[in-house]
Amino acid sequence: MKQRIITAVVAAALFVPIVFYGGLPFVLLSYFLATIGLYELLKMKNLSIFTVHGFLATLFLWVILFPKQYDHVMNTFYYTKTELAIAFVLLLLAYTVITKNRFTFEDGAFSVLSAVYVGMGFYFFMEARDAGLVYIFYSLFIMWATDSGAYFIGKAAGKNKLWPEISPNKTIEGSLGGVVCALIVGVLFALFSDFNASLIEILGITVVLSIFGQIGDLVESAFKRHFNVKDSGKILPGHGGILDRFDSLLFVWPLLHFFHLWSNL
């Protein structure tokens, strides 16, 4: 526990000022976190990021992450993000031939989906920050409330397993308790923030985000169970890896964007 607290304090001291400042430092932070996340995911399948295919997967990730506010830079290359993404997929497929199937189609598909999975989450992390700090805080607090509520209520009253094949300690009662705790946070944000949505809309969005955040956590648990690893990485002592800390949010941030909470529902 002591190690977890120290890591959390140090991480907050490093990252919170950058999140508040925003701009290019925040973009670089997002790129750094996403790249570490891709490294962790590839490592689970014994694929090194320090290889030709790892380099291609990383470039693919960086293209996905490229922020909308810097589109003018992308336009100087006369290619869209979609066109560049297709080029990287073709290069990975060609690499299976060059390596005589030592790097397989399955490896290529895993690399592409890994880049998309990590990239889409952190891309919308940047989108949320660009829209305003309140959306970052909203997403973080509802997921902290969900995780804490699920843990404590599950421990106190949990009897029915939620998904024992993937995460044997999670219970249905804990999951529902996490949603209830998230709703309390949602009410506070609805009352004291400047969201362009009604209380009912905020509560509905909060329920969906809380549920899908838990699904994101289960997805990461499924990865680790499938590849027989305890944590995605060791970069955060006491907490595991980047994916261990951001698994729920990788689902929440894209959905937060799809609800267009910072425009008009």
Side-chain angles (χ1 to χ4, degrees):
M1 179 61 72
K2 182 179 178 180
Q3 188 179 51
R4 287 175 63 89
I5 293 173
I6 293 173
T7 300
V9 170
V10 173
L14 292 173
F15 296 148
V16 169
I18 298 176
V19 173
F20 269 92
Y21 185 81
L24 184 58
F26 182 79
V27 170
L28 295 176
L29 172 64
S30 301
Y31 265 73
F32 172 75
L33 295 175
T35 303
I36 296 298
L38 178 63
Y39 164 81
E40 292 173 350
L41 200 49
L42 292 178
K43 189 178 179 182
M44 288 188 200
K45 193 172 167 53
N46 294 319
L47 294 172
S48 174
I49 204 170
F50 304 108
T51 56
V52 172
H53 57 264
F55 176 70
L56 290 173
T58 303
L59 288 180
F60 183 36
L61 170 71
W62 290 353
V63 168
I64 294 171
L65 288 170
F66 203 82
K68 187 168 60 178
Q69 63 265 37
Y70 297 108
D71 276 349
H72 62 282
V73 177
M74 182 71 72
N75 292 337
T76 61
F77 295 100
Y78 304 104
Y79 291 105
T80 66
K81 291 174 70 170
T82 301
E83 290 169 336
L84 289 175
I86 292 171
F88 286 120
V89 171
L90 292 175
L91 287 171
L92 282 169
L93 290 173
Y95 191 64
T96 64
V97 177
I98 295 171
T99 62
K100 299 179 181 179
N101 254 355
R102 290 192 301 275
F103 178 78
T104 66
F105 181 86
E106 180 186 347
D107 294 333
F110 184 86
S111 300
V112 169
L113 188 56
S114 296
V116 172
Y117 163 58
V118 176
M120 69 179 182
F122 281 104
Y123 173 80
F124 287 112
F125 179 38
M126 291 184 284
E127 285 283 288
R129 176 60 187 88
D130 191 48
L133 269 173
V134 65
Y135 304 104
I136 298 294
F137 287 130
Y138 170 66
S139 60
L140 291 176
F141 278 109
I142 63 170
M143 287 321 305
W144 288 339
T146 297
D147 291 344
S148 299
Y151 176 78
F152 288 110
I153 294 174
K155 199 166 186 178
K159 295 180 180 179
N160 301 291
K161 298 297 183 181
L162 177 65
W163 213 308
E165 297 84 1
I166 293 177
S167 188
N169 294 326
K170 288 183 170 60
T171 63
I172 295 174
E173 292 82 2
S175 177
L176 294 175
V179 174
V180 171
C181 291
L183 280 171
I184 294 172
V185 173
V187 169
L188 295 175
F189 271 88
L191 294 176
F192 300 107
S193 72
D194 57 351
F195 285 159
N196 295 315
S198 67
L199 174 61
I200 297 300
E201 289 169 330
I202 293 295
L203 294 182
I205 291 171
T206 300
V207 168
V208 173
L209 295 182
S210 179
I211 291 172
F212 274 87
Q214 293 183 63
I215 292 174
D217 180 59
L218 288 170
V219 166
E220 176 65 14
S221 296
F223 287 156
K224 292 187 289 188
R225 185 165 291 273
H226 177 72
F227 292 111
N228 195 30
V229 296
K230 182 178 183 296
D231 295 314
S232 66
K234 300 178 181 179
I235 194 172
L236 301 171
H239 292 265
I242 294 299
L243 293 181
D244 292 315
R245 292 300 91 204
F246 287 88
D247 49 8
S248 298
L249 291 162
L250 291 180
F251 272 59
V252 166
W253 286 323
L255 284 173
L256 186 62
H257 174 81
F258 296 155
F259 283 123
H260 295 295
L261 196 54
W262 46 80
S263 55
N264 288 310
L265 292 167

